Amino acid sequence: MSDSESLPSKSLPFSIDEIRNAVEKYETPFHLYNETSIRRNAQQLSNAFKTHWPSYRNYFAVKATPNPHLLAILKEEGMGADCSSLAELLLSERVGLRGNDIMFTSNNTIGNEYRKAYELGAIINLDDITHVPFLFKELGDKVPDMVCLRYNPGPLKAGNAIIGEPQQAKFGFTREQLFEAYEMLKKLGVSRFGLHCMVASNELQPHYFVETARILFDLVIEITHKVGIHFEFVNMGGGFGIPYRPTQSPLNYELLAKKIFDEYTQTIGQDKSIEKLSLVTECGRVVTGPYGVLVSKAIHHKSTYKRYLGIDACMANLMRPGMYGAYHHISIIRPSSRGEWSLINAPPFFETDVVGSLCENNDKFAVDRKLPSVHEGDIVVVHDSGAHGHSMGFNYNGKLRSAEILLTNNGDFKLIRRAETIDDLFATLDFSEFDKTKGEK
């Protein structure tokens, strides 16, 4: 127990009244997103890079938050879609994204996914040298006009805790393989090229991306002259981080864009034989992550060797803390019968594990987290679930995935994905044999 005056706080992307209104309308747990904040942030990201690259475009990583309503919002803000599977391609198609609106960055890819990407006219980003002949075969001895290749710099570049060290990662070509693959593609008739690299996830240090940009720009110069091909763009991938902890600061988009452009002018900009390239990214987390929360209720307390707070959400609603040990800030809101709900951040504070109800000991949203005294019925808000939250959900223990709700620009709530039901969970099971036996009795 601690008697300190308060704990580090983190701003919510919603007012207390907005959360109260959502809780009064929808059953917890649910993910809640803020349309106004998502749009504003998308505009800030795009504007920062378009100052230096007017043709800049972010391809939103669909895997972060694969919901058509959010994709449609980001499409309106000028973003494309970064897809890595057939389902993500189909989802993007349903909201009207086609052609160069889609970057298909996949790995260990099966044939029908390449065929669908080609049908849509997507930019195909290959992950392995063996996929050059595989793609040619799957497309009926054809190739797209444009192909991008994913570079893995191995020991030349450090990774980070989430994605790991590059030489241990399953993604991308080695440097030597890049030269060979571009030669192969050139001979097959590809005439337009891109170069991609992503070796970190949730990175907040600008210098990390600046170093990566320098590696890519130098590589473009070398490949251009040695292989004799023309690059149209460099794809910096994603990995732009968000400040999950109260002590962290967000990335400065303007500063990051300027530093990357400075590297460009000192490398490719000095080679008059290379036309100006476009720059693209595949950011997902930084676009929507801070503008979504998981809203749940406190339902139980338990004190054994540790102090536990049980909530009505579980790891099936937000996997990151249990999977990575990732930090997600938690705010406590106390309802009042008088209608005045309030944030609780006053002593005494207790070291608490915040847990769900899965039969797994890593089903925890926080471990030894200092929290105020929480009452049953208090609203427990888990911050920064707007990316890699609902999308990483699962049905272990028969848990049902929650609803997704959008607070729209006009202040209304919009149910953009209903909560699953038991009928949804059982829909793929064949009960006919058992129903027949039951009828015979």
Side-chain angles (χ1 to χ4, degrees):
M1 188 176 81
S2 171
D3 292 323
S4 58
E5 293 184 1
S6 65
L7 296 172
S9 62
K10 195 172 191 292
S11 297
L12 286 162
F14 303 93
S15 69
I16 302 302
D17 283 344
E18 287 167 342
I19 291 177
R20 180 191 65 191
N21 293 338
V23 169
E24 290 176 347
K25 187 171 184 178
Y26 302 100
E27 183 177 353
T28 59
F30 56 80
H31 288 270
L32 180 63
Y33 310 111
N34 189 315
E35 178 182 357
T36 300
S37 297
I38 289 171
R39 286 187 184 274
R40 183 187 305 118
N41 181 53
Q43 292 164 10
Q44 290 171 349
L45 174 64
S46 294
N47 291 340
F49 281 91
K50 284 186 175 181
T51 298
H52 307 286
W53 283 277
S55 60
Y56 166 79
R57 192 175 199 185
N58 182 61
Y59 290 83
F60 177 71
V62 177
K63 58 182 170 285
T65 320
N67 189 294
H69 297 271
L70 298 180
L71 291 184
I73 287 170
L74 295 172
K75 178 190 173 191
E76 289 176 4
E77 298 301 336
M79 291 192 179
D82 162 38
C83 300
S84 58
S85 68
L86 178 62
E88 292 173 4
L89 287 168
L90 294 171
L91 187 58
S92 300
E93 181 184 23
R94 293 285 290 271
V95 299
L97 293 164
R98 298 181 65 92
N100 288 352
D101 294 333
I102 300 174
M103 183 76 64
F104 186 55
T105 300
S106 59
N107 70 93
N108 196 30
T109 311
I110 58 179
N112 68 330
E113 294 180 324
Y114 277 140
R115 291 192 295 273
K116 183 62 181 180
Y118 181 73
E119 174 196 323
L120 290 175
I123 301 170
I124 295 178
N125 187 17
L126 298 179
D127 183 71
D128 178 58
I129 193 167
T130 65
H131 285 218
V132 174
F134 180 77
L135 177 68
F136 182 71
K137 177 184 175 184
E138 289 297 326
L139 299 185
D141 295 344
K142 293 182 293 186
V143 288
D145 293 333
M146 179 187 291
V147 174
C148 184
L149 300 183
R150 179 172 185 168
Y151 175 44
N152 181 333
L156 295 177
K157 182 73 179 170
N160 67 5
I162 294 179
I163 207 167
E165 292 298 330
Q167 60 266 41
Q168 300 297 326
K170 68 174 183 172
F171 308 109
F173 291 69
T174 67
R175 178 183 174 86
E176 294 75 18
Q177 289 173 336
L178 280 180
F179 286 84
E180 183 180 352
Y182 281 121
E183 287 277 13
M184 294 166 63
L185 290 166
K186 179 183 175 184
K187 290 177 181 177
L188 289 172
V190 177
S191 58
R192 303 163 63 201
F193 297 91
L195 177 63
H196 169 278
C197 184
M198 179 177 169
V199 290
S201 181
N202 193 42
E203 182 58 57
L204 285 169
Q205 299 303 318
H207 70 81
Y208 193 95
F209 302 104
V210 176
E211 291 170 359
T212 301
R214 179 81 188 211
I215 291 172
L216 291 175
F217 297 154
D218 284 340
L219 200 51
V220 163
I221 295 171
E222 188 174 355
I223 294 172
T224 296
H225 293 298
K226 288 188 176 180
V227 182
I229 58 176
H230 168 64
F231 283 94
E232 293 197 8
F233 66 88
V234 166
N235 184 341
M236 292 282 298
F240 292 11
I242 63 175
Y244 285 102
R245 296 178 181 271
T247 55
Q248 294 175 321
S249 299
L251 275 171
N252 183 321
Y253 297 149
E254 290 77 14
L255 176 64
L256 178 59
K258 182 182 183 305
K259 285 182 174 293
I260 292 174
F261 187 70
D262 287 345
E263 289 294 332
Y264 180 89
T265 58
Q266 294 168 23
T267 53
I268 294 175
Q270 300 299 313
D271 191 324
K272 303 305 180 184
S273 67
I274 300 178
E275 297 179 13
K276 185 172 182 178
L277 275 65
S278 296
L279 186 83
V280 303
T281 54
E282 297 174 345
C283 296
R285 182 195 316 270
V286 78
V287 177
T288 57
Y291 312 109
V293 296
L294 174 60
V295 181
S296 64
K297 282 183 183 177
I299 57 173
H300 291 295
H301 288 90
K302 179 177 180 176
S303 295
T304 52
Y305 305 104
K306 301 187 74 174
R307 182 182 179 94
Y308 298 95
L309 169 66
I311 63 177
D312 62 1
C314 68
M315 189 176 168
N317 304 113
L318 181 63
M319 183 192 288
R320 295 188 73 255
M323 183 176 185
Y324 301 121
Y327 181 95
H328 279 257
H329 197 70
I330 292 174
S331 292
I332 308 299
I333 299 175
R334 180 153 299 155
S336 166
S337 58
R338 298 187 301 273
E340 297 176 359
W341 291 28
S342 57
L343 275 171
I344 304 301
N345 188 15
F349 300 110
F350 302 88
E351 287 194 350
T352 306
D353 284 14
V354 181
V355 303
S357 57
L358 289 185
C359 297
E360 294 291 338
N361 197 44
N362 66 337
D363 179 23
K364 297 180 179 181
F365 295 95
V367 176
D368 296 332
R369 182 79 58 85
K370 282 189 177 181
L371 292 174
S373 179
V374 181
H375 302 169
E376 279 84 355
D378 282 353
I379 305 304
V380 179
V381 182
V382 185
H383 292 237
D384 302 308
S385 75
H388 309 290
H390 190 285
S391 64
M392 295 178 75
F394 54 92
N395 292 121
Y396 180 62
N397 271 173
K399 294 299 180 181
L400 303 175
R401 283 171 288 197
S402 63
E404 292 182 294
I405 299 157
L406 181 68
L407 177 63
T408 66
N409 278 342
N410 61 15
D412 295 330
F413 292 111
K414 184 177 183 180
L415 184 66
I416 59 174
R417 187 195 303 264
R418 65 168 175 81
E420 288 182 334
T421 66
I422 290 293
D423 286 342
D424 294 327
L425 184 67
F426 289 170
T428 57
L429 295 172
D430 182 2
F431 284 103
S432 59
E433 177 181 343
F434 309 101
D435 292 340
K436 180 180 178 182
T437 303
K438 181 179 178 180
E440 290 175 352
K441 290 181 180 181

